[in-house]
Amino acid sequence: MDKNKYNLLVKKYTPKESRLYNGLIAFIVGGLMGCLGQLLLTLYSYFLEIPTKQASVFMIITLVFLGCLLTALGVFDKMVSFSRCGLIIPITGFAHSMQSAALEYKREGLVTGIGANIFKLAGTVIMFGVVSAYFFGIIRLIFMGG
Amino acid sequence: MTFTYDNVYLNATSTITGPYEAQGPFNKLYDKSYNDLYMGMKTWEQAESKILVESVDFVLNKVGKEKNNIDIHISGDLLNQIVATNYASVAIGIPLIGIYSACSTSVLGLILGSNMISSKQIKNCIVSTSSHNNGSEKQFRQPVEYGGPKRKTATFTVTGAASAYLSNDKGLIRVESATIGKTIDLGITDSSHMGAVMAPSAASTIYQHLKDTNRDISYYDLILTGDLGIYGKKILKEYMQVEYHINLPNYDDTACMIYDLERQPVFAGGSGPACMPLVVYSYILARMRKGELKRVLLVATGALLSQTMVNQKKSIPSISHAISLEVGNDLS
């Protein structure tokens, strides 16, 4: 059997992923995350009497801390598996990827283990984040003058 | 390439598992199960090595032999440089042949051992395999605590170690013949669809075995593949019909047997070098001893996955080896 014919056979017996359902879950959970972020932002700026810009840093720190804590407690992976991009795309996903790598490689030493592997998953995000920020910066400079 | 044997027997086996396998349907048939994936060790790799040593100790106890009475230990696992085997071997202390053939390692080991016994180079040997779910996740996939979504076709690596004692001492279960498979690649690049990767090599080995031994598929009471999973099993059945015009009536796949697929979150089923031997050495041999099955063909399926090669956009080759076990006529 040639490769194309076999590929068709494989396709026939490969179950479809439930994209609509997954998308809906991600939409709802991601939306709730956004609400939580906004709530934290408002609370911080109201009770600490600080400007929104400063309060948003506090909000991010809180969400990163929660993501890391829940990963370390061993429950966040199950939450992410269920809600998929609903928790991966927000800052919690970034924290989760670093924390899980750190946990995995902690037995292989601080430098050779955690240091060398903590960005195993997050490294890609940083690299492409920096590259796209550079290009968007140039576009902004050209069209909006900085 | 097919070999036949007339003086090789599978006298004893041992099975050690992790917690998920103990929640599966054969939980009462395993020699020992751990509740914790660390098994009292500090890392997954060390835990896998530990249960490998224990599985050899169990099988030695069952046959009442000392380590220095065993000629050769043949063993393999999934970890890079087969470290579970190599580090276990220091404690085991039997001359070692370390092998790697992904999830077809168990049957390859049995074939190598049978060949050496058959040619009278050795009198006996122990053949072992192990795998560890978290050790494999770490090496082949993502950090264990990372919850990246998995596809329905993904499989769940079995945690466990299994050993078999082969010798020329007459026993109930006889190793009758074996076929070494060819490496086959039909262009599948999806590392989360191993059933699709491995089905053509399983089919090729089954066909070659039947051809070399001049047998019909009905000769066997049961044909078992290693870890094709729910979807790979369906693919194999159709591929076998289309390519070789062979129906598989008495057929099952150990990936679909080791877990409770309805209740446990294992996607398409189990996988790993320990998957097939855990099922065979517990449930299948028990059925053979009861006389429910007389002739069984084991086809261990191995996906020769390397993340490096997948990243280089290369498809995944696979290999399957088959061994035929029979209930000896003179003792049954």
Side-chain angles (χ1 to χ4, degrees):
Chain A
M1 191 179 281
D2 65 26
K3 290 182 179 179
N4 290 337
K5 211 171 151 199
Y6 183 64
N7 237 319
L8 289 177
L9 198 162
V10 168
K11 229 175 224 170
K12 185 171 151 192
Y13 290 107
T14 303
K16 291 237 162 23
E17 299 294 323
S18 336
R19 287 192 182 172
L20 186 70
Y21 173 80
N22 293 343
L24 205 67
I25 295 284
F27 178 75
I28 293 169
V29 178
L32 289 173
M33 278 299 297
C35 293
L36 178 67
Q38 186 60 49
L39 183 73
L40 285 171
L41 192 70
T42 314
L43 287 178
Y44 278 134
S45 71
Y46 180 77
F47 284 108
L48 300 179
E49 293 177 7
I50 48 176
T52 319
K53 204 168 182 182
Q54 214 175 334
S56 76
V57 176
F58 281 39
M59 177 269 286
I60 287 170
I61 292 171
T62 312
L63 290 182
V64 166
F65 173 75
L66 281 176
C68 288
L69 181 71
L70 292 173
T71 305
L73 293 173
V75 291
F76 206 61
D77 56 330
K78 291 171 190 81
M79 290 161 70
V80 170
S81 297
F82 170 75
S83 56
R84 294 163 186 252
C85 284
L87 288 177
I88 293 177
I89 301 295
I91 193 80
T92 45
F94 195 80
H96 176 54
S97 72
M98 286 180 67
Q99 178 72 14
S100 60
L103 286 169
E104 190 79 318
Y105 291 96
K106 67 178 179 189
R107 303 277 185 203
E108 291 173 26
L110 270 177
V111 176
T112 48
I114 296 180
N117 291 293
I118 196 162
F119 287 111
K120 206 168 185 182
L121 298 163
T124 317
V125 183
I126 294 182
M127 208 273 291
F128 287 104
V130 170
V131 171
S132 43
Y134 177 78
F135 283 107
F136 280 113
I138 289 175
I139 293 169
R140 194 185 149 117
L141 182 71
I142 293 169
F143 291 102
M144 295 163 73
Chain B
M1 182 66 217
T2 298
F3 311 106
T4 51
Y5 311 106
D6 55 11
N7 63 336
V8 185
Y9 300 88
L10 204 171
N11 305 88
T13 56
S14 67
T15 47
I16 299 187
T17 80
Y20 298 108
E21 296 68 32
Q23 290 161 17
F26 310 132
N27 59 341
K28 290 195 175 72
L29 299 173
Y30 300 130
D31 291 319
K32 184 176 180 180
S33 291
Y34 280 89
N35 290 327
D36 177 43
L37 281 161
Y38 278 112
M39 296 148 183
M41 305 303 282
K42 282 192 167 166
T43 65
W44 318 126
E45 294 83 359
Q46 290 167 29
E48 186 176 336
S49 246
K50 179 186 175 177
I51 54 172
L52 191 55
V53 175
E54 281 188 350
S55 80
V56 171
D57 288 341
F58 262 94
V59 86
L60 282 170
N61 269 334
K62 284 188 188 176
V63 290
K65 297 254 183 204
E66 296 290 322
K67 284 171 183 173
N68 50 16
N69 296 330
I70 307 296
D71 292 339
I72 290 279
H73 180 217
I74 302 171
S75 181
D77 58 85
L78 270 188
L79 299 175
N80 288 339
Q81 296 90 33
I82 51 169
V83 287
T85 289
N86 294 339
Y87 279 72
S89 187
V90 178
I92 294 167
I94 303 171
L96 171 76
I97 298 178
I99 55 172
Y100 180 84
S101 188
C103 309
S104 63
T105 302
S106 58
V107 167
L108 180 65
L110 291 174
I111 297 175
L112 293 176
S114 300
N115 282 6
M116 283 192 277
I117 292 169
S118 176
S119 63
K120 300 195 169 58
Q121 287 173 313
I122 57 170
K123 286 193 178 68
N124 59 25
C125 65
I126 289 179
V127 179
S128 315
T129 32
S130 64
S131 50
H132 193 293
N133 182 279
N134 291 8
S136 300
E137 285 290 320
K138 176 181 170 186
Q139 180 177 306
F140 292 101
R141 298 172 193 125
Q142 285 158 340
V144 171
E145 286 301 331
Y146 187 69
K150 291 205 168 152
R151 304 239 304 277
K152 288 175 185 168
T153 50
T155 46
F156 187 88
T157 309
V158 165
T159 304
S163 290
Y165 173 80
L166 290 178
S167 77
N168 56 10
D169 298 332
K170 272 199 172 154
L172 184 65
I173 313 284
R174 190 165 82 86
V175 180
E176 189 269 331
S177 61
T179 301
I180 296 274
K182 290 179 195 162
T183 310
I184 297 205
D185 185 345
L186 278 188
I188 304 293
T189 50
D190 184 355
S191 63
S192 61
H193 200 347
M194 292 302 201
V197 171
M198 298 184 288
S201 80
S204 152
T205 303
I206 294 170
Y207 170 74
Q208 196 61 45
H209 178 80
L210 296 174
K211 197 177 153 200
D212 290 348
T213 53
N214 205 12
R215 283 172 186 161
D216 185 72
I217 193 93
S218 58
Y219 178 87
Y220 290 102
D221 299 328
L222 179 66
I223 291 183
L224 267 184
T225 47
D227 46 6
L228 296 183
I230 302 170
Y231 309 104
K233 199 173 153 183
K234 290 178 186 167
I235 295 169
L236 174 69
K237 279 185 171 179
E238 181 159 335
Y239 184 81
M240 210 63 205
Q241 272 180 341
V242 176
E243 190 73 7
Y244 303 113
H245 309 290
I246 295 172
N247 275 320
L248 289 174
N250 306 314
Y251 163 65
D252 213 333
D253 181 68
T254 57
C256 306
M257 301 163 79
I258 191 160
Y259 296 114
D260 184 343
L261 295 180
E262 301 277 305
R263 214 166 40 82
Q264 294 182 278
V266 293
F267 316 101
S271 64
C275 180
M276 174 171 246
L278 284 182
V279 173
V280 171
Y281 298 168
S282 56
Y283 177 63
I284 300 296
L285 288 189
R287 284 188 68 194
M288 289 180 85
R289 288 193 192 100
K290 276 189 212 158
E292 292 170 16
L293 297 168
K294 288 211 181 292
R295 294 159 172 170
V296 177
L297 184 69
L298 309 178
V299 187
T301 47
L304 304 170
L305 169 70
S306 151
Q307 207 51 53
T308 308
M309 299 310 279
V310 170
N311 289 346
Q312 291 175 17
K313 307 273 183 274
K314 287 280 172 196
S315 51
I316 308 163
S318 85
I319 191 158
S320 301
H321 303 296
I323 198 159
S324 151
L325 300 180
E326 289 196 5
V327 177
N329 290 329
D330 44 347
L331 283 160
S332 60

